[in-house]
Amino acid sequence: MIKTTILQCDAHQAWIFQTINKLFLVITLGVSILLVSVCGHAADVPKEQIKGLDEQVQEIKSDVLAIAAELNHLEEKLLYPSNSQVAVFVSLKADDDFLLDALELQLDGEAVAYHLYSYKELQAFAKGGVQRVYTGNLPSGRHEIEITMLGKSKGGSDFSRSERFSIDKAVGPKAVEITLSNPGLGNAAIELKEL
């Protein structure tokens, strides 16, 4: 009796295995036929229709980029309301031969920005570029700002310079420009201008 039951179970398992194999073969054959028909149909699609799809994809990409830019603008307005916003910009004095490695910015004794400069960023500075290194909120009143710059002079020696400034923040947005120059030329290496 037990032997008969085992044989029946083995026969049932073999039948299930054969059925699964047949089903797999039918599915594989169906997918293959579907792929061949899709490939054949794709060859019949005119190039104008493909170009039209490419143009639609490019329009969608443009729309997405425009929406992303608008969202960034709205996020900035939300995070940094105009009555308390302060923005700090950095530029290099023209015709200065030194390599800026890093810049640290502290407001009221708290580090708010630190940036390591790449070669491409230094090239942009050399062409007159300006970097927004910090945007944040400050209440009205007098604030201390400390700028530390690290770099290499024209001769290749390392240098580090720090300067402290006071800025007055009124109601409304405030912009500050920091101009960095070679510290070995006898002038101030760090200059601050309130805009």
Side-chain angles (χ1 to χ4, degrees):
M1 172 101 169
I2 294 176
K3 202 175 200 181
T4 309
T5 308
I6 291 174
L7 289 175
Q8 287 176 346
C9 285
D10 287 341
H12 186 65
Q13 287 176 347
W15 178 81
I16 290 174
F17 183 71
Q18 288 175 350
T19 306
I20 290 173
N21 280 339
K22 288 178 185 176
L23 185 60
F24 179 73
L25 183 63
V26 169
I27 290 173
T28 305
L29 184 62
V31 168
S32 299
I33 291 171
L34 181 65
L35 285 175
V36 168
S37 67
V38 166
C39 290
H41 180 67
D44 296 340
V45 175
K47 288 185 179 182
E48 293 81 27
Q49 190 174 6
I50 293 173
K51 283 183 182 179
L53 289 174
D54 285 342
E55 289 172 0
Q56 287 177 356
V57 168
Q58 291 302 323
E59 286 177 17
I60 291 171
K61 283 182 183 179
S62 297
D63 290 345
V64 167
L65 289 174
I67 290 170
E70 188 174 336
L71 281 173
N72 284 339
H73 180 69
L74 291 172
E75 179 183 29
E76 186 173 308
K77 286 177 94 175
L78 179 66
L79 292 176
Y80 312 113
S82 63
N83 62 345
S84 65
Q85 181 182 27
V86 64
V88 180
F89 298 90
V90 175
S91 64
L92 297 183
K93 196 170 265 188
D95 301 328
D96 267 357
D97 264 344
F98 76 99
L99 292 175
L100 180 63
D101 287 334
L103 179 87
E104 181 180 10
L105 178 68
Q106 293 185 9
L107 279 171
D108 296 328
E110 181 182 336
V112 293
Y114 185 84
H115 190 78
L116 293 172
Y117 288 95
S118 68
Y119 180 72
K120 286 187 176 187
E121 289 171 322
L122 294 176
Q123 285 181 324
F125 276 138
K127 294 177 182 175
V130 176
Q131 176 199 18
R132 180 169 55 177
V133 72
Y134 174 73
T135 302
N137 296 319
L138 278 181
S140 298
R142 190 168 205 72
H143 298 278
E144 293 292 320
I145 184 169
E146 183 177 347
I147 302 111
T148 303
M149 67 182 227
L150 305 169
K152 293 191 183 304
S153 65
K154 186 176 181 180
S157 60
D158 292 336
F159 68 84
S160 173
R161 295 290 186 273
S162 290
E163 294 285 337
R164 284 179 163 252
F165 301 94
S166 291
I167 58 171
D168 290 316
K169 171 75 174 75
V171 175
K174 177 78 166 183
V176 176
E177 181 183 2
I178 299 168
T179 305
L180 307 175
S181 62
N182 192 341
L185 297 178
N187 57 358
I190 303 171
E191 298 174 3
L192 184 131
K193 181 170 61 171
E194 297 184 40
L195 305 173

